[in-house]
Amino acid sequence: MADLLTDIQFDQFRKLIYDASGITFSDTNRSILDSRLKERLREKQMTDVQEYYKLVTSDQGEFKTFLDSITTNLTRFFRNQPHFDALINYVVPHVIENKKKTGDTKIHIWSAGCSTGEEPYTIAMLLKDKLPAPYSFDIVASDISLKSLMVGQQGFYPNARIAGIPQNYLDRFFIKNDSGYQVKDDLMQTIRFDYHNLRHDSGARNLDIVFCRNVLIYFDEAAQKATIDRFYNSMAKNSFLFIGHSESLFGMETKFEFLKTEWACLYQKNE
Ligand SMILES: C[S@@+](CC[C@H](N)C(=O)[O-])C[C@H]1O[C@@H](n2cnc3c(N)ncnc32)[C@H](O)[C@@H]1O
């Protein structure tokens, strides 16, 4: 299929996307941007790329929809189980030990780049099941994809998407109907879905655990480092950061310490 974008237009759009979100389109994935733009133009019944550029740079609503359309939202429940084993067997016990010194009993978690919610719901199910009294938790789940956030907020997952959830969790945390599974209210209430662009400071502080998995791969090095620094500032002393298992902070100047547990590798903020 013929390219939609000229070289100059490709540079224009990739700069726009990068400046706004950190998402980097290289020459090799130019065709992805091309096809997503074609789709957007079709939906807007437009044919002129330059005219669409004018629209997207002047209309905040269209800009958000456009950004949403270029994101990759692939996710699943219990994605990379070793991370969750490390969460339950290593991270949570250490967070509880730290909390004992302060008397605080609430664990604050952020699922950054949560897509359609499978990651935060996985964390919530595990903590509902495993967290000992008197401890409780809350989760903020954020993304720049409004479409994805709406799925998470509704908490309804078709049969094809519930693979990986243990049967006892399905029974306990979901209501089954003909086409799929609805998350029950008490699980839903542990999560707040929120629009947040990782290009900016979220304003959160003193978080105990941050998950940002399979998001940094879409950023270039400068945007990755800026994001990691913002995480650092939003986290409590002795808190923990999970990034995707194919992602790494290796070679990046960061104050996080690399941590190799029996279950998985992660990062810790030590002060
Ligand atoms: C591949 S999904 C990862 C979902 C989940 N964390 C996982 O590992 O299964 C990546 C998500 O990052 C989001 N994302 C990309 N850039 C972002 C940004 N600048 N701010 C917030 N979310 C972003 C995308 O919208 C997408 O939903």
Side-chain angles (χ1 to χ4, degrees):
M1 212 189 291
D3 285 349
L4 173 75
L5 296 167
T6 63
D7 289 353
I8 292 173
Q9 288 168 335
F10 176 54
D11 283 342
Q12 236 177 356
F13 274 96
R14 73 166 155 184
K15 180 171 183 334
L16 183 69
I17 295 165
Y18 178 76
D19 289 347
S21 68
I23 297 173
T24 309
F25 278 94
S26 62
D27 292 339
T28 44
N29 51 25
R30 176 173 173 159
S31 60
I32 301 175
L33 178 56
D34 219 78
S35 72
R36 307 253 169 111
L37 258 172
K38 273 184 191 148
E39 220 173 284
R40 210 53 227 126
L41 258 68
R42 202 168 34 242
E43 271 166 39
K44 295 301 287 182
Q45 298 182 330
M46 291 171 98
T47 48
D48 184 346
V49 177
Q50 220 47 48
E51 196 189 324
Y52 182 71
Y53 184 80
K54 266 192 216 145
L55 175 70
V56 89
T57 48
S58 60
D59 178 336
Q60 264 304 312
E62 179 56 30
F63 187 57
K64 277 190 173 174
T65 311
F66 170 62
L67 265 192
D68 196 335
S69 77
I70 56 100
T71 58
T72 303
N73 313 111
L74 192 78
T75 186
R76 60 177 183 277
F77 286 100
F78 288 86
R79 182 178 195 177
N80 193 28
Q81 177 75 43
H83 276 163
F84 299 109
D85 295 338
L87 173 72
I88 294 305
N89 297 309
Y90 187 93
V91 170
V92 167
H94 278 79
V95 170
I96 288 178
E97 269 320 296
N98 292 332
K99 298 254 166 210
K100 277 183 186 159
K101 296 171 203 153
T102 64
D104 177 22
T105 55
K106 191 150 224 167
I107 299 178
H108 303 290
I109 301 165
W110 183 14
S111 167
C114 66
S115 185
T116 39
E118 286 85 337
E119 178 180 274
Y121 282 124
T122 300
I123 300 166
M125 285 188 274
L126 283 166
L127 292 189
K128 276 254 181 206
D129 188 29
K130 312 272 188 200
L131 195 62
Y135 295 95
S136 61
F137 66 95
D138 56 31
I139 302 175
V140 173
S142 69
D143 207 283
I144 45 166
S145 165
L146 284 165
K147 264 193 275 171
S148 301
L149 286 170
M150 261 162 63
V151 173
Q153 212 149 27
Q154 279 160 2
F156 179 77
Y157 297 93
N159 292 327
R161 284 178 61 176
I162 52 98
I165 308 176
Q167 188 59 48
N168 60 328
Y169 282 9
L170 274 179
D171 297 341
R172 178 170 165 191
F173 298 115
F174 292 83
I175 298 163
K176 184 172 169 29
N177 70 23
D178 287 345
S179 51
Y181 289 79
Q182 175 63 49
V183 175
K184 285 185 185 168
D185 282 352
D186 63 332
L187 190 70
M188 211 172 242
Q189 278 155 11
T190 62
I191 303 175
R192 181 165 60 84
F193 286 94
D194 200 7
Y195 182 90
H196 174 67
N197 185 344
L198 290 169
R199 219 38 178 153
H200 309 292
D201 180 11
S202 71
R205 295 294 178 267
N206 280 317
L207 295 165
D208 299 298
I209 304 168
V210 174
F211 278 74
C212 183
R213 304 185 311 156
N214 310 300
V215 180
L216 298 175
I217 33 163
Y218 301 104
F219 297 178
D220 75 348
E221 231 176 277
Q224 287 181 356
K225 171 147 172 48
T227 307
I228 290 295
D229 287 347
R230 278 189 285 273
F231 285 148
Y232 193 88
N233 293 335
S234 67
M235 292 168 69
K237 214 169 135 180
N238 299 318
S239 53
F240 297 90
L241 168 71
F242 288 90
I243 60 174
H245 77 119
S246 60
E247 296 165 325
S248 155
L249 304 187
F250 184 72
M252 188 186 290
E253 212 174 289
T254 152
K255 289 187 261 181
F256 280 108
E257 262 181 38
F258 179 71
L259 197 62
K260 191 172 185 332
T261 72
E262 193 184 323
W263 300 272
C265 296
L266 57 140
Y267 292 87
Q268 183 167 26
K269 172 173 175 172
N270 272 325
E271 274 186 335

